[in-house]
Amino acid sequence: MSYEVTATRRRPQQFGDLVGQEFVAETLKNSIKSGKIAHAYLFSGPRGCGKTSTARILAKALNCQNGPTDQPCGTCSNCQEITKGTSLDVIEIDGASNTSVENIRQIKDEVLFPPSNSKYKIYIIDEVHMLSTSAFNALLKTIEEPPPYVIFIFATTELQKVPATIKSRCQQFNFRLVAVDKVKQCLADAAAELGIQADDEALFWIARESTGSMRDAYTLFDQVVAFSDGHITYEKIRDKLGLVGIDRLNTVFESCAQNRTADVIGLLDEFLQAGVSIEQLISNSADYLRSLLLIKSGVKKESLLGNSAERYSNVVLGAWNTVQIERALSLFLQLYRDIRYSLSPRYELELAFSRLCWLGSYVSNAEVKKAIDAAQGLLMGSGGVSAPVSTPSAQPSQTAQPQPAQPSASQPVPQQTQPVQSNQSTPPGMNPIPAGMPRLSMLDELIAKEQAGISDDDTGSPDGGGDIGDNSNPFLNGGPLPPEQSVAAPMAESAHPAELDERLKLHIPQENVTDDGQVVPTVDIPSSATGYSENPDAEEGDDGWSNMDAPPDDDYYPVEADFSEQAEQYENSASDSGMSSAPVQLQDTFVTASGQTISIAQLRGQITANLAVTDGFAASNVEKTGMWAVRDDTVNTTVETAYDLSLIEKKKDVIAAELSNACGRPMKFNVTLKEAKSQENAAPVEIPLQVNILVNAFKGTIVAGRM
């Protein structure tokens, strides 16, 4: 007798022989017992799971000389002919080779004739999804109303390609993949039939490689039997088929976990020189990492792992956490997709294993978020607000101390005592910022204040501290409000600011007046002789040059005649800001330490320029101040908002020191909050038509200026 492959030799001959398809077997058996036999069946499922075998068993059960019966004898002539494929009444058709309408017409002609020596004429069409649309349409009427002696059995691996009109005329049975345990048991039975000894680890590997297909499992089993010499072992499979193996994978991944990149590259070279393909190495590595992930999740089932859990390296399991193993597995899955388009698959493989060497430093997004939340708690704790943290048991006396009364701004704070607040997150004298995190000088200052028991109210600022509002949170004040919030209220409740930015003014002469009293402005932009537009904001007319020419050679310092006019402006400004409650003598010029006479505005510019080099924050704060008025050895000025006042108070000493250096004598710097004028009796101002057009065109709002 000629050799017969295992898949053919062990093909199921009874419904009870079907492996992993208990639902299909029981349903068909009950249908035959009750006599409720359908005229069309549709079997769908993955390859090698028993669709064609089930169709033949059903055909034998219906045409058996003892039937119809759910237990065909297998010995009568009809059963023997169906098993060998020589029955005239059971026609097997390959749908991939007979896809045209002509083949279907032939079937329609044949069904008119009854079976020759059986009860039913059965058509088994394999891979029915390969039929053309016209062939399906030609078969519809025959499937819907066939003769009583005709039964159709369709088999397909791609159910989605079968038209719905065909599905609705058939009883559908979905075949499933076979479990690894059942495949292993079938392989063990096959090895026992052949008298071959097989290790469980080797059979588990074959069962996993078959991915639930019995035909694939038997085919791979025959290949392994051919080179095993009567004893199937995993080592023989690994060496002959070019596998890596669990022991080799443990070695290379332990080197990765211990950050030994040179050893990893050397091991990869050994594997490739031994005949292991790059695709196989990537596949085995992905399986290994999947098993590690399952073990980390508490899965110990050997059929899922492919090996016992004790065979996997404890070094790797201890070095990497679940998130890092997930990252490694996704890295290899992506690597398998990328190597087909890579310049060198080996380079891609070495790069992936090199990345695994620093996998211990990988931080996931969730861990980053936790670190940020912890850092926020530390920063908030530096300002005196934090979640309660248990104090170490080594310092019980600190937690037992009562909280002393908060000292007022006028009382000095004793330096020898260190009061402990009830919500203090770290003991006094300890730095709450962990090692390795960036340090901020502002936080150091806050920590020092907290450890000394000094609150922000003790800083002596006019508004009660360095922060606006609740001073327990150093990050509470986020800056000024948006323009639509910060300007809308002053525009409605108070007068326009007296000091306006000259660059934002619109110099539009209002000459035309309509009959109803509406002013229609006329825009007149003069041009110079060279064709460039003149500067409409210039008080003395066009200066004779444009941005395309070099600027004129003007003196930087104004002439002495302008000093009196500037002094008058400063006096008016001082009177508007409330600084002229007593008759004082204001200076309009100033003599610097170098003996140079400059105006107050030039002094302000010089101080701003010097601070821009040494302290940018102080220079920015100086630019926010209004006009300066010098009286004796004090420079008086104002700011618009309380927030700007709190910022400049922190830099007052730096600004005063720079003033003293520039003037050659001790100087003081006094800043107050500018009071807004009431506009209750102010007459409503009508906005010109041109301004409304500009606002509507640019989708903007008027935020400053008087019309």
Side-chain angles (χ1 to χ4, degrees):
M1 181 178 180
S2 62
Y3 171 74
E4 191 175 17
V5 297
T6 305
T8 304
R9 186 181 71 255
R10 294 184 56 83
R11 182 186 289 272
Q13 303 298 328
Q14 300 287 338
F15 285 114
D17 298 337
L18 293 174
V19 180
Q21 314 301 335
E22 290 78 9
F23 165 75
V24 176
E26 291 297 326
T27 304
L28 293 177
K29 288 169 64 176
N30 293 334
S31 298
I32 295 173
K33 288 179 181 180
S34 61
K36 299 178 181 179
I37 302 172
H39 61 276
Y41 296 90
L42 177 59
F43 296 161
S44 62
R47 68 183 189 279
C49 59
K51 298 184 297 296
T52 306
S53 299
T54 304
R56 291 182 180 181
I57 296 173
L58 179 59
K60 288 191 294 184
L62 296 176
N63 287 339
C64 181
Q65 294 180 357
N66 300 327
T69 176
D70 61 330
Q71 297 289 340
C73 64
T75 58
C76 64
S77 59
N78 290 342
C79 292
Q80 290 290 336
E81 290 175 356
I82 294 173
T83 301
K84 296 178 181 178
T86 59
S87 177
L88 297 177
D89 297 326
V90 178
I91 302 97
E92 293 191 27
I93 301 174
D94 181 14
S97 303
N98 302 275
T99 61
S100 64
V101 179
E102 297 298 330
N103 302 118
I104 302 302
R105 288 177 180 174
Q106 182 180 355
I107 296 176
K108 294 176 64 177
D109 295 339
E110 291 178 355
V111 298
L112 299 177
F113 301 95
S116 58
N117 56 357
S118 302
K119 187 175 182 179
Y120 293 97
K121 178 178 281 188
I122 301 174
Y123 286 90
I124 301 175
I125 303 178
D126 199 7
E127 301 297 332
V128 70
H129 66 274
M130 298 296 292
L131 296 180
S132 63
T133 304
S134 301
F136 275 123
N137 294 332
L139 195 59
L140 288 178
K141 188 63 176 178
T142 305
I143 297 176
E144 186 174 4
E145 296 179 356
Y149 51 80
V150 175
I151 295 177
F152 290 96
I153 303 176
F154 302 136
T156 178
T157 56
E158 300 184 25
L159 182 62
Q160 72 278 2
K161 293 185 178 180
V162 179
T165 53
I166 298 293
K167 296 178 183 177
S168 63
R169 290 166 168 82
C170 304
Q171 284 191 9
Q172 300 182 40
F173 292 88
N174 295 322
F175 287 69
R176 296 170 295 182
L177 292 173
V178 185
V180 176
D181 294 337
K182 295 181 179 180
V183 175
K184 174 183 174 296
Q185 184 60 41
C186 292
L187 293 176
D189 296 340
E193 290 180 1
L194 297 176
I196 298 175
Q197 184 180 359
D199 295 346
D200 287 344
E201 185 178 1
L203 295 180
F204 262 125
W205 181 86
I206 297 175
R208 290 186 63 197
E209 288 295 317
S210 65
T211 63
S213 172
M214 287 302 306
R215 184 169 60 239
D216 291 355
Y218 285 137
T219 302
L220 184 57
F221 174 79
D222 289 339
Q223 183 180 1
V224 172
V225 169
F227 60 74
S228 296
D229 296 331
H231 187 193
I232 302 176
T233 62
Y234 183 75
E235 287 74 15
K236 292 180 180 179
I237 296 176
R238 180 193 64 190
D239 297 336
K240 298 297 182 180
L241 298 183
L243 305 180
V244 184
I246 183 67
D247 297 329
R248 295 178 179 178
L249 289 173
N250 281 334
T251 303
V252 68
F253 277 95
E254 283 178 2
S255 300
C256 292
Q258 296 171 356
N259 198 11
R260 300 200 306 266
T261 308
D263 295 343
V264 172
I265 300 301
L267 290 173
L268 293 179
D269 183 67
E270 292 180 6
F271 298 159
L272 298 179
Q273 293 296 332
V276 179
S277 64
I278 294 178
E279 292 81 2
Q280 187 66 47
L281 181 55
I282 296 174
S283 177
N284 293 152
S285 300
D287 292 339
Y288 181 86
L289 291 170
R290 170 186 174 271
S291 300
L292 292 181
L293 187 60
L294 293 177
I295 294 174
K296 278 285 190 178
S297 302
V299 178
K300 304 294 184 180
K301 191 175 181 180
E302 188 174 354
S303 60
L304 290 177
L305 301 178
N307 297 278
S308 61
E310 291 75 14
R311 296 202 59 184
Y312 291 90
S313 173
N314 293 326
V315 176
V316 182
L317 290 171
W320 294 339
N321 56 29
T322 303
V323 176
Q324 292 168 344
I325 296 177
E326 288 179 357
R327 172 64 177 173
L329 180 57
S330 64
L331 182 66
F332 275 89
L333 294 178
Q334 183 62 38
L335 175 62
Y336 191 83
R337 294 189 290 264
D338 293 343
I339 57 174
R340 68 182 66 181
Y341 306 111
S342 175
L343 174 66
S344 175
R346 176 166 182 167
Y347 295 168
E348 298 278 356
L349 178 66
E350 293 174 346
L351 178 60
F353 274 95
S354 177
R355 288 173 177 172
L356 289 185
C357 292
W358 52 265
L359 185 64
S361 302
Y362 172 75
V363 180
S364 64
N365 294 336
E367 293 172 324
V368 171
K369 182 181 181 301
K370 291 181 181 178
I372 293 176
D373 294 340
Q376 181 181 5
L378 293 172
L379 296 177
M380 298 292 290
S382 299
V385 177
S386 64
V389 179
S390 59
T391 308
S393 58
Q395 299 175 355
S397 60
Q398 295 181 0
T399 59
Q401 293 178 3
Q403 181 178 358
Q406 184 71 19
S408 61
S410 60
Q411 296 176 353
V413 179
Q415 298 298 329
Q416 64 274 11
T417 61
Q418 295 183 356
V420 179
Q421 300 179 3
S422 60
N423 58 354
Q424 189 171 353
S425 59
T426 56
M430 294 182 62
N431 186 6
I433 307 300
M437 290 187 63
R439 297 183 61 83
L440 301 176
S441 58
M442 179 179 65
L443 296 181
D444 293 339
E445 182 179 352
L446 292 173
I447 294 171
K449 288 182 179 180
E450 180 184 7
Q451 294 176 354
I454 303 175
S455 66
D456 291 340
D457 293 334
D458 300 327
T459 57
S461 59
D463 57 347
D467 296 325
I468 306 301
D470 185 8
N471 57 8
S472 62
N473 186 353
F475 305 100
L476 180 62
N477 197 324
L481 294 174
E484 60 270 14
Q485 300 181 19
S486 61
V487 176
M491 289 285 289
E493 300 176 0
S494 61
H496 290 281
E499 300 174 5
L500 300 177
D501 191 347
E502 295 293 335
R503 293 171 296 178
L504 298 180
K505 280 189 176 181
L506 294 176
H507 295 267
I508 303 177
Q510 301 179 357
E511 299 173 354
N512 302 328
V513 181
T514 60
D515 297 337
D516 55 357
Q518 182 178 3
V519 178
V520 180
T522 302
V523 180
D524 184 15
I525 302 178
S527 301
S528 63
T530 58
Y532 298 106
S533 61
E534 298 179 356
N535 183 11
D537 293 338
E539 298 178 356
E540 299 178 359
D542 186 19
D543 52 8
W545 69 282
S546 68
N547 59 347
M548 303 297 294
D549 302 325
D553 296 333
D554 294 339
D555 294 334
Y556 177 78
Y557 300 108
V559 297
E560 296 294 336
D562 297 336
F563 289 158
S564 59
E565 181 180 354
Q566 293 180 359
E568 183 179 355
Q569 294 178 358
Y570 280 112
E571 291 175 0
N572 296 335
S573 174
S575 61
D576 292 341
S577 61
M579 293 188 299
S580 58
S581 58
V584 295
Q585 183 66 28
L586 301 179
Q587 298 178 225
D588 53 0
T589 61
F590 204 88
V591 179
T592 63
S594 59
Q596 185 179 12
T597 302
I598 59 176
S599 64
I600 304 303
Q602 291 172 348
L603 175 64
R604 181 177 181 270
Q606 181 179 350
I607 297 301
T608 304
N610 294 340
L611 289 175
V613 179
T614 59
D615 193 331
F617 288 104
S620 176
N621 294 332
V622 170
E623 290 181 349
K624 297 178 182 179
T625 59
M627 290 187 177
W628 286 15
V630 180
R631 183 180 63 190
D632 298 333
D633 292 336
T634 304
V635 175
N636 298 308
T637 184
T638 59
V639 290
E640 296 287 344
T641 64
Y643 177 71
D644 293 337
L645 180 62
S646 65
L647 293 179
I648 204 169
E649 284 289 342
K650 298 179 180 179
K651 298 293 183 179
K652 183 190 296 186
D653 296 338
V654 178
I655 300 173
E658 190 62 36
L659 276 171
S660 302
N661 294 335
C663 301
R665 63 179 186 274
M667 297 291 294
K668 297 180 181 179
F669 189 70
N670 184 29
V671 185
T672 58
L673 184 63
K674 185 176 181 179
E675 297 180 357
K677 294 182 179 180
S678 176
Q679 199 181 6
E680 297 177 355
N681 300 327
V685 179
E686 186 175 359
I687 301 176
L689 178 62
Q690 285 81 351
V691 177
N692 278 329
I693 293 175
L694 290 175
V695 170
N696 295 332
F698 292 99
K699 308 297 182 183
T701 56
I702 300 176
V703 298
R706 268 200 303 268
M707 306 309 301

